[in-house]
Amino acid sequence: MPQTSELKRYRCFEIFSQSTGVEIREAFKSHEENGQVTERSGRVQLRFFRLTPKTKPDEVTQIRFICEPDEAFGLSLMIAQVAGSSVPCKEKLSPHKFSAGEQAGEIVTTLTVEKWERGGKGGYALTVGRGKDFISVPAPLAKFLFAGEFLRFLSTVQSWVERPEKRTVTGKNE
């Protein structure tokens, strides 16, 4: 018997190059206390990935960068600024740092937008880096600008929070 699955709609934009890609989509962050979700808030996720097969067992094939809504807005402004530049330039978001345990130490992830020029050719790119691993996604101007506009849109759409409602009991010793 054929299996049917429910289709779920979510806001997403993807850019593909010859060997890499980036998916920009809505996301959320959950806060838990004692195994219970006490709060959820909107985020914007950029998932950078390689389209080529692994060549080494420990090779990184994807890196996620999760932005708070205001960071996504800042990133959209950076993209517009870089796209409007008459000379090659590079802008970086503030690095994200997190601890991966005592032995691994602190892990730093960076996100860069750039206008590049090499060997008479030029273009635009979004690049993520974590440690020694980098994934760069070149994009034509229209897709680069659309990514900025999409990030701008998601920055406001993802400005939300879900919390338990506090109910007051009426009529009892108020």
Side-chain angles (χ1 to χ4, degrees), residues 168-174:
T168 58
V169 180
T170 56
K172 291 187 178 180
N173 300 339
E174 288 187 50

mmCIF file of all heavy atoms in Angstrom, residues 168-174:
data_model
loop_
_atom_site.group_PDB
_atom_site.id
_atom_site.type_symbol
_atom_site.label_atom_id
_atom_site.label_comp_id
_atom_site.label_asym_id
_atom_site.label_seq_id
_atom_site.Cartn_x
_atom_site.Cartn_y
_atom_site.Cartn_z
ATOM 1 N N THR A 168 -4.885 33.744 35.812
ATOM 2 C CA THR A 168 -5.235 34.141 37.173
ATOM 3 C C THR A 168 -6.610 33.598 37.505
ATOM 4 O O THR A 168 -7.499 33.537 36.659
ATOM 5 C CB THR A 168 -5.256 35.680 37.306
ATOM 6 O OG1 THR A 168 -6.186 36.205 36.360
ATOM 7 C CG2 THR A 168 -3.883 36.273 37.064
ATOM 8 N N VAL A 169 -6.762 33.185 38.727
ATOM 9 C CA VAL A 169 -8.041 32.657 39.191
ATOM 10 C C VAL A 169 -8.849 33.849 39.693
ATOM 11 O O VAL A 169 -8.420 34.565 40.588
ATOM 12 C CB VAL A 169 -7.851 31.614 40.314
ATOM 13 C CG1 VAL A 169 -9.174 31.086 40.776
ATOM 14 C CG2 VAL A 169 -6.945 30.504 39.825
ATOM 15 N N THR A 170 -10.029 34.044 39.115
ATOM 16 C CA THR A 170 -10.848 35.188 39.511
ATOM 17 C C THR A 170 -11.854 34.771 40.567
ATOM 18 O O THR A 170 -12.287 33.609 40.633
ATOM 19 C CB THR A 170 -11.600 35.783 38.289
ATOM 20 O OG1 THR A 170 -12.361 34.729 37.692
ATOM 21 C CG2 THR A 170 -10.623 36.362 37.303
ATOM 22 N N GLY A 171 -12.198 35.735 41.396
ATOM 23 C CA GLY A 171 -13.236 35.490 42.408
ATOM 24 C C GLY A 171 -12.718 34.896 43.701
ATOM 25 O O GLY A 171 -13.475 34.619 44.614
ATOM 26 N N LYS A 172 -11.437 34.611 43.808
ATOM 27 C CA LYS A 172 -10.900 34.019 45.020
ATOM 28 C C LYS A 172 -9.881 34.957 45.651
ATOM 29 O O LYS A 172 -8.778 35.098 45.158
ATOM 30 C CB LYS A 172 -10.232 32.681 44.740
ATOM 31 C CG LYS A 172 -11.194 31.594 44.363
ATOM 32 C CD LYS A 172 -10.472 30.286 44.273
ATOM 33 C CE LYS A 172 -11.466 29.182 43.942
ATOM 34 N NZ LYS A 172 -10.833 27.912 43.833
ATOM 35 N N ASN A 173 -10.239 35.566 46.745
ATOM 36 C CA ASN A 173 -9.354 36.415 47.533
ATOM 37 C C ASN A 173 -8.443 37.300 46.692
ATOM 38 O O ASN A 173 -7.233 37.276 46.825
ATOM 39 C CB ASN A 173 -8.489 35.570 48.487
ATOM 40 C CG ASN A 173 -9.339 34.770 49.442
ATOM 41 O OD1 ASN A 173 -10.502 35.114 49.662
ATOM 42 N ND2 ASN A 173 -8.786 33.714 49.996
ATOM 43 N N GLU A 174 -9.020 38.095 45.868
ATOM 44 C CA GLU A 174 -8.197 38.964 45.012
ATOM 45 C C GLU A 174 -7.706 40.145 45.739
ATOM 46 O O GLU A 174 -8.098 40.837 46.474
ATOM 47 C CB GLU A 174 -8.986 39.368 43.763
ATOM 48 C CG GLU A 174 -9.124 38.179 42.850
ATOM 49 C CD GLU A 174 -9.758 38.574 41.533
ATOM 50 O OE1 GLU A 174 -9.322 39.525 40.903
ATOM 51 O OE2 GLU A 174 -10.705 37.906 41.149
#
